[in-house]
Amino acid sequence: MKKPQPSHVNLKSFGEFNKYIMGLGAAAFLYFDKFELSGYAAIRTAGTVFLALAVIIGITTMSALGRIHGEEIDYELEKDHSKLFLFKFVSRALVVELIALLFAMVLAGSLSLIKIWK
């Protein structure tokens, strides 16, 4: 038998997670900007686009988190539909933000390996 998952979420943790992802995205953005390797413009461009996407989603997520009042939400018992919509938006946006950062990190790693093997 499957154990039921808790339905309440600490929104402060969402905000902290978003802040760290945005910080990593901004730092990696500088890496792609300063990377000196002739050629491979497509990889650098794709990495920059993914990181810009992660940072833009992070800014949008911070705005949505600021509109949800309170520090916790119980999404099974929540009656306010706008608060529930914002919570679903934030949770999905964080997943997309993390995936964009993951793709950018894979591209950054491949650029580093190309530089080493060259």
Side-chain angles (χ1 to χ4, degrees), residues 3-9 74-76:
K3 183 179 173 185
Q5 296 289 328
S7 64
H8 73 282
V9 176
D74 191 339
Y75 55 87
E76 283 186 357

Side-chain angles (χ1 to χ4, degrees), residues 35-111:
F35 201 82
E36 301 287 333
L37 188 63
S38 61
Y40 305 104
I43 295 175
R44 290 180 62 203
T45 303
T48 303
V49 167
F50 280 127
L51 292 171
L53 178 69
V55 171
I56 289 169
I57 291 173
I59 293 168
T60 308
T61 302
M62 292 296 265
S63 174
L65 278 173
R67 295 169 194 244
I68 301 175
H69 299 291
E71 290 189 12
E72 290 191 356
I73 185 171
D74 191 339
Y75 55 87
E76 283 186 357
L77 302 175
E78 185 60 47
K79 303 291 185 211
D80 186 5
H81 292 292
S82 63
K83 192 173 180 179
L84 195 57
F85 171 76
L86 285 173
F87 169 73
K88 287 180 181 180
F89 171 79
V90 166
S91 62
R92 290 178 183 140
L94 286 174
V95 170
V96 173
E97 184 180 11
L98 187 60
I99 289 171
L101 183 69
L102 177 69
F103 284 153
M105 292 298 109
V106 167
L107 292 173
S110 66
L111 277 177

